[in-house]
Amino acid sequence: MYVQSAIPDALRAIVLAAFLLPAAAYSQEGSAEPESKLQIDAGAGRYDAATGRMTLTSVRISEAGYEIIADQADSDSFDLTDATWNFLGNVSFRALTASLTCDSAELRFEDDRLKGATVRGDPVRMRNEGDVVIEGNAAAVEYDAESQLVRFMGGAVLETRASRVAGQSISYDLRNETVTVNPPEGEPVLFTFDFFTSDEDEEP
């Protein structure tokens, strides 16, 4: 089932916060240098020269416009040319008006670009406080750069003040800005929309 509502715009903000902005800090289109410096703060760090693996604890990674916080982060490379970064424990992504919290996150980079990401939680929680306030949760969220698809899986729910979408999985196509809802087998798609209510009606 395809859904057209205010939800896609808010979903885009959440995706930018969790997956796309971190990649932009390292790789700017048409520029040899990033526009701003990446800052990494950690309580402790360990580097294994034999494997090239780095592990950080109580880590905070920030750059103008976004922030990643986690109890632990490890990577097989210091940069993002070809690397996989894993974040574990109380993981949060924050950027612009959007935030996402989860138990673990894996970001995969290739040729200075984010190729894919997987976040898991109990549940993964998402919130955007932009023009449209949206909240959501799911057991896992996956992003694939090639297909430009974001999949919310495992009891996924996305809702604004005026609409709510729920299903076993919800897919968001970034290119076409469409939402596809897949309900549990044998059950109908649950989608509600109040045409007479908007986020502008909320109390300040």
Side-chain angles (χ1 to χ4, degrees):
M1 175 182 181
Y2 293 93
V3 176
Q4 295 288 347
S5 72
I7 285 180
D9 289 338
L11 277 178
R12 180 173 289 276
I14 288 176
V15 172
L16 287 173
F19 305 134
L20 304 184
L21 285 179
Y26 289 88
S27 180
Q28 300 293 330
E29 191 70 37
S31 173
E33 297 293 332
E35 292 184 352
S36 58
K37 298 280 187 175
L38 187 77
Q39 181 174 334
I40 301 178
D41 298 311
R46 184 177 70 255
Y47 175 67
D48 187 332
T51 63
R53 196 159 198 87
M54 174 182 61
T55 301
L56 304 172
T57 58
S58 301
V59 63
R60 176 179 178 270
I61 301 176
S62 60
E63 192 268 342
Y66 84 93
E67 175 183 76
I68 305 173
I69 297 175
D71 292 342
Q72 178 178 309
D74 67 76
S75 174
D76 51 9
S77 174
F78 277 108
D79 58 37
L80 299 186
T81 302
D82 290 286
T84 297
W85 279 76
N86 291 285
F87 299 90
L88 299 171
N90 299 306
V91 184
S92 67
F93 297 85
R94 300 182 187 279
L96 305 176
T97 61
S99 64
L100 183 150
T101 59
C102 59
D103 297 329
S104 66
E106 179 186 84
L107 305 183
R108 300 176 296 278
F109 295 87
E110 184 179 316
D111 297 328
D112 295 318
R113 292 291 180 184
L114 182 68
K115 300 299 291 184
T118 302
V119 300
R120 302 182 186 280
D122 188 22
V124 177
R125 298 186 184 279
M126 301 153 281
R127 181 174 175 84
N128 177 59
E129 296 182 352
D131 294 336
V132 175
V133 176
I134 182 174
E135 292 185 315
N137 58 74
V141 181
E142 291 184 349
Y143 166 70
D144 180 74
E146 184 174 354
S147 63
Q148 286 291 285
L149 286 177
V150 182
R151 297 179 63 210
F152 305 87
M153 300 174 296
V157 176
L158 298 170
E159 58 187 331
T160 68
R161 177 177 170 83
S163 58
R164 185 177 191 272
V165 181
Q168 183 60 29
S169 68
I170 300 173
S171 298
Y172 175 40
D173 186 325
L174 286 164
R175 287 196 183 99
N176 300 315
E177 296 190 344
T178 57
V179 177
T180 305
V181 184
N182 297 307
E185 186 174 352
E187 295 185 18
V189 170
L190 175 59
F191 172 67
T192 59
F193 187 82
D194 186 345
F195 292 93
F196 302 102
T197 305
S198 68
D199 282 11
E200 296 178 355
D201 297 328
E202 292 193 34
E203 294 293 331

